[in-house]
Amino acid sequence: MKKYFLLIALLVLSQLKNSVTAQKLTVSPDSLFLAPDTVCINQPVTLLPDTGAFHALSYYWGFCSGYLMNAPTGINLGNNFGFHVPSNIDIVYDSGSYYGFVVNAETTEFLRLNFGSSLTNIPTVTNFGNLQKGLPVNPTSLYILKDTLSKDWFIFVTGGFTNATSTIGRIDFGKHLNNPKPNVVNFENFGNVLDYPKGIFVAQEADDLWFGYVVNHNTSELIRLDFSYNVSNTPRTFNYGNTAGNLQNPTDLAAVYDHDNWHFFITNEGISSWVTRIDLGATLAPDPTVVNNPSNNVKINDLITNPLDADPSGTTFNYRILQPSSISINRDCGNLYAYITDSTTSQLIGIQMGSVTGPYTGVDYNNIGAMNYPSSISSILRSGDYLYGFITNSNDSTLTRIDFDQCHNSSIPSFTEVRPPTYTYDSPGVYNVYLVINQGQPNMRVDCKAITVLKYPPLYINNDTTVCEGDTVTLYAISSLADSFRWMTGYNIDTSYLYRDSARVFPDYSTVYPVSIYYPFGCIIDTAVHVNIMKIKADAGPDRWIKDGAITTLGGPYTTLAKPYTYHWAPFQFLSDSTVPNPYSFPPYDYTYYLTVTDGFGCISTDTVVVHVDCGNINLPNAFSPNSASPATNRFGILNQELVQLNYFRIYDRWGVLVFETTDPSQGWDGTYNNKPEPVGVYVYEASGFCQNGKKVFKKGNVSLLR
């Protein structure tokens, strides 16, 4: 008989003040998704992506993630990575793993860091050396890209401290960045325009043309690379010169594509506090007069100490920067954030941009993660709920990781497909929902939305519950302040209860029963009770016929096998073990067995099997061994259990001598004659008797005596 095994329990949930407002989906004109303004604790949150977010290359939803508006922390990971004056680093995600790539300026080496599935892992290092001398000497910068058409990965590397040694190379990894033998192509100093090139950047425009850019540190020039329609082509070069004199020994270049326009930010060593912004417009190949127009640059003074006095007419960022070495620009929550490393003061500067053209706000993060003459900062990537970046230190060849804070109050921390599942927050507060599409690409888009989470009214609701298959259970969702209730399912529910605070359900399989609770002050609580159905199966196996004296195995393939389930066969007679799913049975006559399976909660299932015993003949083995330790094999005797009379059982040797005779069906021959062991060989037997059903049976045959 089935029964309830778990009593209905009520869970008392937290209180809600009367200031709760109704859930309302809102969206801004440029938003990538719709989200509610306000929800209650544990209320399912549904986010609806805008159609403009579909068909992107990648998605990342952060429901409680770290944000670049937070101050980073840092940790120095040491110098066990084979760095020798590392000059540049960047990180990227490919096929379930995070990879970092580093170039050593001192030893002309190219290294791959494999972080595995998390950027918190200590990476394994592959040192490719100088790639058979194809790597530019004294490499200065690198850029990683994936051709979205061919799905191939490429890494461009610049190198050389003089015009004579300056070159650009391309490393081809093919479909995956874990390729153990990438190919390399060195373009040399094509056009003889390179002179200590740094800050390489390569991208494809909407018309499918590929362009790249570098800056010459020695000559303070901006160089364009034209690849035509294939990034694998050897590029032509175009020299824009010194963009109206705003470049002063540039050290790095970062590109931004914003509102259908391209922009470059360039750090300068000659005038260390200058960060030059170049507005190229809608194309990566603009007219030279556009690039050299000084009005396209922005000057911001004293961002950290007095950001309100920013002057939008020039090109200078005034910090305590003495020698900026690199710049990384990233999007987060609709804003752009630049990070600049200083190789002399070993400090990190953050710049928050209201838009690509300003206003700008600067933050001096000082030295974090034991930076030591930092040479390069990577892109900032998400790994799960976390944001990470990496900095190479040239003075001690160490690696610094920077981390951004995150919260832990959402039921699902993140999601990587276009349509996120519903989720909840477990504490009141204001949370930012974050969506980034095409992360790491120039056309990356980011959107975020603040959601206010409030406490909700007194509510008494079932815990998730488990019942046996076939049982009926009453679910409760009781709140004295509620206006109305709505159980949101029609599956195996008493429909007369759909609009009550309780519902009678009788599901055949595990089911979630959602309920919406509406309050007069606008709060809507969407919650649910999960009813888990325990399905157990007893399969005693098919009815079967066996020979009298034979053994059969009981139990079928459909019996539920799990711990702590128990198994009980009844009656227990003529069984090897009555507590296992598949015992041996040897009944002397027709027998019916009952198998009962019970789970750990008291749910049961029962099945029967009938074993029919056929006494149609006398059953004997065809060999035995008197020396065997087993009583089942050291005697030769009749196996039948249904014989009511044995007329005779005789055994003869090869010469016809009677060596054994009995009328007791339980007696067997021990292989001796006149108390002496008989030799190995074949013996003849004959037996006659009657079964319980009155049938006369007779058998004659041979048996082998073995020793």
Side-chain angles (χ1 to χ4, degrees):
M1 178 179 178
K2 296 182 179 178
K3 63 177 182 178
Y4 292 109
F5 69 89
L6 184 65
L7 296 177
I8 301 301
L10 295 179
L11 177 64
V12 180
L13 302 179
S14 56
Q15 302 288 320
L16 174 69
K17 296 180 180 179
N18 290 340
S19 60
V20 175
T21 57
Q23 179 175 346
K24 178 182 178 182
L25 292 177
T26 61
V27 63
S28 64
D30 297 326
S31 181
L32 294 175
F33 63 94
L34 292 146
D37 293 318
T38 305
V39 296
C40 299
I41 298 173
N42 297 324
Q43 179 175 348
V45 178
T46 300
L47 305 176
L48 301 177
D50 184 75
T51 55
F54 286 76
H55 310 298
L57 298 176
S58 65
Y59 306 90
Y60 184 88
W61 293 89
F63 309 122
C64 209
S65 302
Y67 294 93
L68 293 183
M69 67 182 71
N70 298 330
T73 58
I75 181 173
N76 192 295
L77 302 178
N79 61 355
N80 298 318
F81 307 106
F83 295 170
H84 298 283
V85 189
S87 58
N88 204 227
I89 183 173
D90 208 357
I91 55 177
V92 71
Y93 180 82
D94 176 38
S95 303
S97 294
Y98 291 90
Y99 296 95
F101 292 90
V102 176
V103 284
N104 283 333
E106 182 179 70
T107 55
T108 306
E109 293 175 310
F110 177 69
L111 294 84
R112 178 177 65 201
L113 310 180
N114 187 345
F115 292 88
S117 60
S118 173
L119 286 171
T120 60
N121 294 332
I122 299 299
T124 58
V125 181
T126 302
N127 190 333
F128 293 102
N130 64 8
L131 294 170
Q132 299 180 341
K133 298 183 179 180
L135 190 71
V137 297
N138 306 121
T140 56
S141 64
L142 60 86
Y143 186 79
I144 309 169
L145 68 87
K146 185 176 185 180
D147 186 342
T148 57
L149 180 62
S150 68
K151 310 299 183 183
D152 290 331
W153 286 95
F154 302 95
I155 299 180
F156 287 85
V157 180
T158 62
F161 297 150
T162 66
N163 173 259
T165 60
S166 295
T167 61
I168 295 177
R170 189 191 72 237
I171 303 170
D172 302 348
F173 274 86
K175 305 300 181 186
H176 299 290
L177 287 173
N178 63 0
N179 185 349
K181 294 183 178 180
N183 297 319
V184 64
V185 177
N186 195 308
F187 300 125
E188 305 296 336
N189 194 342
F190 192 80
N192 201 38
V193 298
L194 304 177
D195 197 344
Y196 199 170
K198 303 194 76 174
I200 188 166
F201 162 75
V202 181
Q204 187 179 30
E205 291 199 312
D207 59 4
D208 296 330
L209 290 172
W210 289 89
F211 296 98
Y213 278 86
V214 296
V215 285
N216 278 337
H217 179 75
N218 288 341
T219 61
S220 299
E221 296 171 320
L222 180 68
I223 308 299
R224 189 182 80 212
L225 311 173
D226 297 355
F227 296 90
S228 186
Y229 290 99
N230 192 333
V231 73
S232 297
N233 290 337
T234 299
R236 295 178 299 156
T237 58
F238 181 86
N239 191 341
Y240 283 104
N242 187 347
T243 66
N246 293 315
L247 301 181
Q248 300 284 329
N249 302 113
T251 59
D252 200 10
L253 176 152
V256 176
Y257 187 69
D258 186 67
H259 290 87
D260 300 324
N261 283 280
W262 288 97
H263 308 270
F264 291 161
F265 287 81
I266 301 170
T267 52
N268 298 277
E269 182 181 303
I271 301 180
S272 60
S273 60
W274 282 23
V275 176
T276 302
R277 194 190 82 232
I278 299 175
D279 302 329
L280 292 104
T283 176
L284 279 171
D287 183 270
T289 59
V290 175
V291 175
N292 287 283
N293 185 348
S295 65
N296 289 340
N297 299 297
V298 175
K299 178 179 180 180
I300 302 179
N301 294 315
D302 302 323
L303 283 182
I304 299 173
T305 59
N306 193 8
L308 297 180
D309 293 337
D311 179 357
S313 62
T315 59
T316 304
F317 295 91
N318 286 332
Y319 316 123
R320 293 184 292 111
I321 291 180
L322 297 181
Q323 191 171 341
S325 55
S326 67
I327 182 171
S328 173
I329 298 182
N330 303 269
R331 292 184 187 274
D332 190 43
C333 219
N335 294 320
L336 291 168
Y337 297 83
Y339 296 92
I340 300 171
T341 57
D342 187 279
S343 60
T344 299
T345 63
S346 296
Q347 72 189 67
L348 179 67
I349 297 296
I351 304 171
Q352 181 176 347
M353 305 178 183
S355 71
V356 73
T357 58
Y360 305 124
T361 302
V363 181
D364 186 353
Y365 295 119
N366 296 306
N367 186 316
I368 61 174
M371 293 188 298
N372 195 343
Y373 287 76
S375 58
S376 175
I377 182 171
S378 71
S379 303
I380 308 298
L381 287 188
R382 289 187 178 272
S383 177
D385 266 339
Y386 301 83
L387 283 161
Y388 300 106
F390 290 86
I391 296 172
T392 52
N393 300 296
S394 61
N395 194 47
D396 57 6
S397 293
T398 60
L399 181 65
T400 293
R401 188 187 75 217
I402 57 175
D403 308 349
F404 293 83
D405 294 338
Q406 66 291 316
C407 67
H408 302 279
N409 302 107
S410 60
S411 60
I412 302 174
S414 60
F415 197 68
T416 56
E417 296 180 16
V418 63
R419 293 184 182 274
T422 58
Y423 67 98
T424 60
Y425 292 103
D426 63 8
S427 298
V430 178
Y431 299 93
N432 280 315
V433 179
Y434 177 97
L435 172 62
V436 55
I437 63 175
N438 296 328
Q439 180 167 314
Q441 304 298 320
N443 63 344
M444 180 175 68
R445 292 182 64 191
V446 176
D447 190 20
C448 68
K449 170 72 176 178
I451 296 180
T452 300
V453 179
L454 298 164
K455 296 180 180 179
Y456 54 79
L459 174 63
Y460 304 89
I461 188 169
N462 282 94
N463 288 318
D464 291 343
T465 188
T466 303
V467 297
C468 303
E469 185 177 9
D471 287 343
T472 297
V473 62
T474 300
L475 308 180
Y476 296 92
I478 302 172
S479 182
S480 60
L481 300 179
D483 269 349
S484 59
F485 302 82
R486 176 67 166 95
W487 294 91
M488 308 299 291
T489 182
Y491 169 69
N492 280 20
I493 186 171
D494 188 336
T495 56
S496 63
Y497 286 75
L498 288 180
Y499 299 97
R500 299 183 185 182
D501 56 9
S502 62
R504 294 179 68 252
V505 299
F506 39 93
D508 293 324
Y509 51 85
S510 297
T511 306
V512 173
Y513 285 93
V515 58
S516 293
I517 307 169
Y518 302 87
Y519 292 88
F521 37 83
C523 182
I524 303 172
I525 296 180
D526 295 319
T527 186
V529 180
H530 183 271
V531 179
N532 182 49
I533 300 300
M534 297 300 296
K535 288 180 174 287
I536 62 173
K537 176 70 174 178
D539 182 8
D543 294 349
R544 77 281 310 273
W545 288 85
I546 64 171
K547 296 294 185 181
D548 183 17
I551 296 175
T552 185
T553 301
L554 303 183
Y558 304 109
T559 295
T560 305
L561 302 177
K563 293 182 179 180
Y565 286 17
T566 60
Y567 308 90
H568 178 70
W569 291 87
F572 62 86
Q573 286 83 4
F574 312 114
L575 290 178
S576 60
D577 190 337
S578 63
T579 63
V580 297
N582 300 103
Y584 297 114
S585 171
F586 40 89
Y589 40 80
D590 291 359
Y591 223 81
T592 300
Y593 289 100
Y594 297 83
L595 170 62
T596 300
V597 180
T598 306
D599 66 14
F601 303 103
C603 297
I604 63 173
S605 178
T606 302
D607 193 28
T608 62
V609 60
V610 178
V611 180
H612 300 277
V613 179
D614 180 13
C615 186
N617 204 343
I618 294 178
N619 299 316
L620 296 103
N622 57 13
F624 76 110
S625 176
N627 295 336
S628 171
S630 172
T633 58
N634 61 15
R635 291 288 190 275
F636 174 63
I638 294 173
L639 301 177
N640 295 61
Q641 300 184 65
E642 280 203 356
L643 290 180
V644 295
Q645 177 179 324
L646 180 63
N647 298 328
Y648 57 83
F649 174 35
R650 303 175 185 135
I651 302 174
Y652 303 89
D653 65 13
R654 57 190 300 184
W655 294 282
V657 176
L658 179 67
V659 297
F660 178 79
E661 181 178 22
T662 185
T663 58
D664 185 351
S666 66
Q667 296 297 313
W669 182 41
D670 62 0
T672 64
Y673 179 60
N674 291 331
N675 295 321
K676 295 182 179 180
E678 282 291 284
V680 171
V682 178
Y683 293 78
V684 177
Y685 66 83
E686 60 180 1
S688 173
F690 289 91
C691 293
Q692 285 187 355
N693 57 15
K695 181 180 178 180
K696 183 177 182 180
V697 290
F698 172 81
K699 191 170 185 179
K700 183 177 182 179
N702 298 325
V703 62
S704 296
L705 188 153
L706 307 174
R707 294 194 184 274

